Amino acid sequence: MMLNNYDFNHTENNNEMENETNTYQPLTPSGSHNNNKKNPKNSKKLAKKIGAITLSAVLFGSVAAGSFQAVNYFSPFSKTTGSSGSTASNNSSSTSLLKTTAVSGSSNTGSLDVSDITTSAIPSIVAITNKSVQEVQDYFSQFGFGGQGQPQTQETESQGSGIIIGKNDSELLMVTNNHVVEGADTLSVCFIDNQVYEAAIKGTDPENDLAVIAVPLDSISDDTMSKIAVASIGDSDSLKVGEQVVAIGNALGYGQSVTTGIVSAVNRTLSSDSSDTQDSNSSDDSSSATYIQTDAAINPGNSGGALLNMNGEVIGINSAKLASTEVEGMGYAIPISRVSDIIDNLMNQTTRTKVDSDKQGTIGIKGINVTSDVQEKYNLPEGIYVSEVTSGSAAEKAGITSGSVITKFDGKSVTDIESLQDLLQYYKAGETVELTLQVPDSDSYKEKTVSITLGSKSATSSDSNSQPERNENSNDRQQSGSYSPASAFSIR
């Protein structure tokens, strides 16, 4: 019979079921009591019990099935093999980064309080100190007293800010402005816990005023690592005029401080020799660098710090260098989306430290900066015009000729002699690098890349010197398609 084969194995409600089955006497198989007649009342009772047991079984089965599915759904061990693999992959990809400062928010106009943004973002902001030795002349040395007119050296110190953007296997990486770190003999970084560590330059882009610096991970204490964070990067392209923003940085070198304001304008272009600005949408030069304009106070020391949206995401790199002292409420920041590829490239360059002066590499040319006036007058590309190649120098051996214009050194743009000399401080004699040139080609210039093995200062011709020298004709002139500068500086 069906009832004899039904088995209640679940531990719950077994007693109740057992009581019911004990009171129930199964039907005798046919042939056992041939002489007995069926009782109608017994049949009714039997039918009721069958119905009750069947209903109980259905209800019990439904509850058990539902519980099983719920356990499967919520259990972390119930995922399929494919999902498990995906989760493992995500975890492994995030192990190379510190915790981020991302804060949940609904949009760029988010509803976060400024204090929440500050608490979340400030662990990713650092203070940078640049120490360098510069030549100065005091009042007496100018007239030959005390130092026979020779310049004196003096250690100078400047302050700036930076943003923690990631790490690799051996270094913690921060982005800042190039003008914050240029010319540095030593760089140091102060984290949120006021611990200071020595840093080195990883890559620079003077044209975009960007630099990435690095601190060795093995020099950072576990306590400091537990308190700092990698910044969350936002989308500056989605900014709208009027949105509230927050600026964080090492203003005036006093330590991290916070100012607030709004986005006053986007896509601003700036004149290099004035504070004039214009909307790039109305400019014919689509290649001009654009900036975010804000009325949040951006003071000296804020350079390289973060401009954040109301979700706590970095949407700009503050640049106090672009702020004019003649106006109020007009600060500028480099849009993060515009320079994200540049930052990625700088993060992957070789970290370099300054080389001792007597071991630095040399090129062996005399050159002059190609200013905007010279570009317009002589139709020259921007860079360093090579007016003379020193005999026996690295430049001569590499096939560089006078009349060429140097535009890149080891993949880094150079727009003036000073930026090239700064780069050479990080390269030893004997290193081979690529030099990008613009060389004369009929009435125009064409790009050419040459490999140059840097020479040593001791092997440089004695004709080279670091002082400007005059040509016979003191006026700029153009003869046979070549530019003859009035003065040229040696680039050893």
Side-chain angles (χ1 to χ4, degrees):
M1 298 289 292
M2 180 180 71
L3 293 178
N4 289 335
N5 293 330
Y6 198 91
D7 184 17
F8 296 94
N9 291 320
H10 201 279
T11 57
E12 295 180 5
N13 299 324
N14 274 357
N15 292 334
E16 181 180 350
M17 296 300 179
E18 287 173 2
N19 290 337
E20 298 235 2
T21 55
N22 287 338
T23 58
Y24 168 64
Q25 296 296 329
L27 293 174
T28 304
S30 59
S32 299
H33 301 282
N34 292 332
N35 297 329
N36 292 339
K37 187 177 180 180
K38 293 182 180 179
N39 190 333
K41 291 183 178 181
N42 289 338
S43 298
K44 291 180 179 180
K45 290 181 180 180
L46 177 61
K48 288 181 180 180
K49 289 183 178 181
I50 292 172
I53 292 172
T54 302
L55 180 60
S56 298
V58 171
L59 291 174
F60 176 79
S62 299
V63 172
S67 301
F68 181 77
Q69 291 297 329
V71 170
N72 280 344
Y73 182 80
F74 292 107
S75 172
F77 302 103
S78 63
K79 307 297 182 185
T80 63
T81 303
S83 299
S84 175
S86 176
T87 302
S89 176
N90 290 338
N91 288 339
S92 64
S93 65
S94 63
T95 55
S96 63
L97 295 176
L98 301 173
K99 66 176 186 278
T100 66
T101 60
V103 182
S104 59
S106 58
S107 66
N108 284 346
T109 58
S111 58
L112 292 176
D113 185 84
V114 173
S115 62
D116 295 331
I117 293 173
T118 302
T119 301
S120 175
I122 209 164
S124 65
I125 311 300
V126 301
I128 299 173
T129 300
N130 175 337
K131 291 184 178 180
S132 61
V133 177
Q134 297 181 355
E135 289 186 350
V136 296
Q137 278 192 319
D138 59 28
Y139 176 81
F140 294 102
S141 66
Q142 290 181 16
F143 297 97
F145 298 105
Q148 288 75 45
Q150 297 298 318
Q152 306 296 311
T153 59
Q154 176 180 314
E155 185 177 86
T156 62
E157 183 176 299
S158 59
Q159 305 286 337
S161 306
I163 308 166
I164 301 174
I165 52 173
K167 70 172 185 176
N168 55 31
D169 292 338
S170 59
E171 300 167 319
L172 184 70
L173 306 176
M174 289 139 283
V175 66
T176 184
N177 290 138
N178 179 68
H179 74 264
V180 170
V181 301
E182 68 180 346
D185 288 318
T186 61
L187 281 175
S188 59
V189 170
C190 181
F191 294 109
I192 186 175
D193 60 352
N194 293 321
Q195 295 301 305
V196 179
Y197 298 89
E198 188 172 344
I201 294 176
K202 193 164 187 68
T204 62
D205 187 335
E207 187 175 357
N208 289 285
D209 196 21
L210 289 172
V212 169
I213 62 176
V215 175
L217 289 174
D218 57 11
S219 71
I220 306 175
S221 69
D222 292 338
D223 186 55
T224 297
M225 289 294 289
S226 68
K227 294 177 180 177
I228 61 179
V230 171
S232 177
I233 305 301
D235 179 15
S236 60
D237 290 340
S238 62
L239 278 178
K240 296 179 181 178
V241 175
E243 283 187 28
Q244 189 175 359
V245 288
V246 178
I248 303 180
N250 180 28
L252 301 179
Y254 294 153
Q256 305 299 351
S257 62
V258 181
T259 58
T260 63
I262 62 168
V263 175
S264 303
V266 294
N267 298 325
R268 284 296 200 203
T269 57
L270 294 138
S271 171
S272 60
D273 55 0
S274 72
S275 59
D276 295 338
T277 64
Q278 63 181 7
D279 191 325
S280 67
N281 293 331
S282 62
S283 174
D284 294 332
D285 185 6
S286 59
S287 64
S288 298
T290 58
Y291 299 88
I292 301 167
Q293 181 184 326
T294 178
D295 64 350
I298 299 177
N299 297 297
N302 276 111
S303 293
L307 188 68
L308 307 158
N309 62 20
M310 296 310 289
N311 290 330
E313 299 167 331
V314 177
I315 44 87
I317 301 171
N318 299 327
S319 184
K321 183 180 180 181
L322 301 175
S324 171
T325 57
E326 300 173 356
V327 295
E328 293 183 6
M330 291 180 68
Y332 296 93
I334 302 169
I336 197 69
S337 297
R338 175 171 71 81
V339 296
S340 58
D341 290 342
I342 297 173
I343 295 173
D344 285 342
N345 178 56
L346 297 178
M347 290 172 68
N348 290 290
Q349 292 186 10
T350 302
T351 304
R352 290 184 175 273
T353 56
K354 273 194 173 181
V355 179
D356 291 340
S357 177
D358 58 338
K359 296 180 180 179
Q360 291 174 8
T362 65
I363 295 178
I365 64 167
K366 292 180 181 178
I368 189 171
N369 299 334
V370 179
T371 64
S372 57
D373 290 340
V374 172
Q375 282 183 271
E376 183 177 351
K377 184 175 181 180
Y378 296 104
N379 193 28
L380 289 171
E382 183 181 31
I384 302 166
Y385 180 87
V386 179
S387 61
E388 182 181 331
V389 177
T390 304
S391 175
S393 67
E396 185 182 54
K397 293 174 183 177
I400 299 173
T401 57
S402 59
S404 301
V405 178
I406 301 173
T407 58
K408 288 183 180 180
F409 177 86
D410 196 21
K412 303 174 181 68
S413 296
V414 288
T415 57
D416 52 43
I417 292 172
E418 291 75 16
S419 61
L420 179 55
Q421 289 174 329
D422 285 341
L423 285 173
L424 283 169
Q425 296 179 85
Y426 296 90
Y427 290 80
K428 293 181 179 180
E431 284 193 66
T432 300
V433 297
E434 287 191 344
L435 209 62
T436 303
L437 309 167
Q438 292 286 333
V439 297
D441 182 29
S442 299
D443 295 332
S444 62
Y445 280 78
K446 66 178 180 179
E447 186 172 281
K448 178 182 179 182
T449 301
V450 298
S451 292
I452 180 171
T453 301
L454 300 176
S456 62
K457 289 187 176 181
S458 60
T460 303
S461 172
S462 59
D463 290 339
S464 296
N465 58 73
S466 59
Q467 301 298 322
E469 56 184 38
R470 295 285 179 180
N471 289 337
E472 292 180 1
N473 189 342
S474 61
N475 298 319
D476 292 350
R477 63 187 184 274
Q478 185 176 18
Q479 295 178 349
S480 303
S482 63
Y483 167 54
S484 299
S487 63
F489 288 87
S490 294
I491 304 175
R492 296 182 179 179

